[in-house]
Amino acid sequence: MNAPRDVVSAVLADPNYQLLVQKRTRISYIFFAITLVIYAGFILTLAFDPELFGEPVGNMTMSIGVLCALLVAVSAVILIFAYVYISNRVFDPLLAKIEKDVL
């Protein structure tokens, strides 16, 4: 078996590892931007127009604030699902290939 330092060097030198890092970084930035827009939009609206969140939605008793909070929570679940899907379809095969090539 290879020494641990040799394995680390081999992984770092593997082109699939570089591709994995590049893809993860790109996806992380995209998810960060989406999350920032959703949460910052919610918080900034709450900070600068709090009366808006008190308005009812149409004829219902639910307020716009409750609806927006619900949409923020649902968006978090959707983003988690999307990340897991991407991880299973893109990242995991690359990790398996790196493991097969190096070890």
Side-chain angles (χ1 to χ4, degrees), residues 19-87:
L19 181 63
L20 175 68
V21 169
Q22 182 184 40
K23 285 186 177 198
R24 274 190 175 172
T25 301
R26 185 180 313 126
I27 292 296
S28 294
Y29 285 147
I30 290 169
F31 274 83
F32 173 75
I34 292 169
T35 304
L36 180 68
V37 167
I38 292 169
Y39 287 109
F42 180 76
I43 296 299
L44 289 173
T45 303
L46 182 61
F48 292 109
D49 195 7
E51 296 84 24
L52 176 68
F53 282 159
E55 300 284 325
V57 177
N59 297 350
M60 301 182 349
T61 57
M62 179 172 40
S63 70
I64 291 175
V66 172
L67 178 63
C68 287
L70 180 65
L71 291 175
V72 167
V74 168
S75 72
V77 171
I78 291 170
L79 287 171
I80 291 167
F81 174 78
Y83 186 83
V84 169
Y85 180 81
I86 291 169
S87 178

Side-chain angles (χ1 to χ4, degrees), residues 7-25 91 93-99 101-102:
V7 172
V8 171
S9 299
V11 168
L12 291 175
D14 191 326
N16 288 318
Y17 176 74
Q18 300 302 323
L19 181 63
L20 175 68
V21 169
Q22 182 184 40
K23 285 186 177 198
R24 274 190 175 172
T25 301
F91 302 151
L94 278 172
L95 283 170
K97 191 170 185 183
I98 292 166
E99 185 178 342
D101 291 346
V102 173

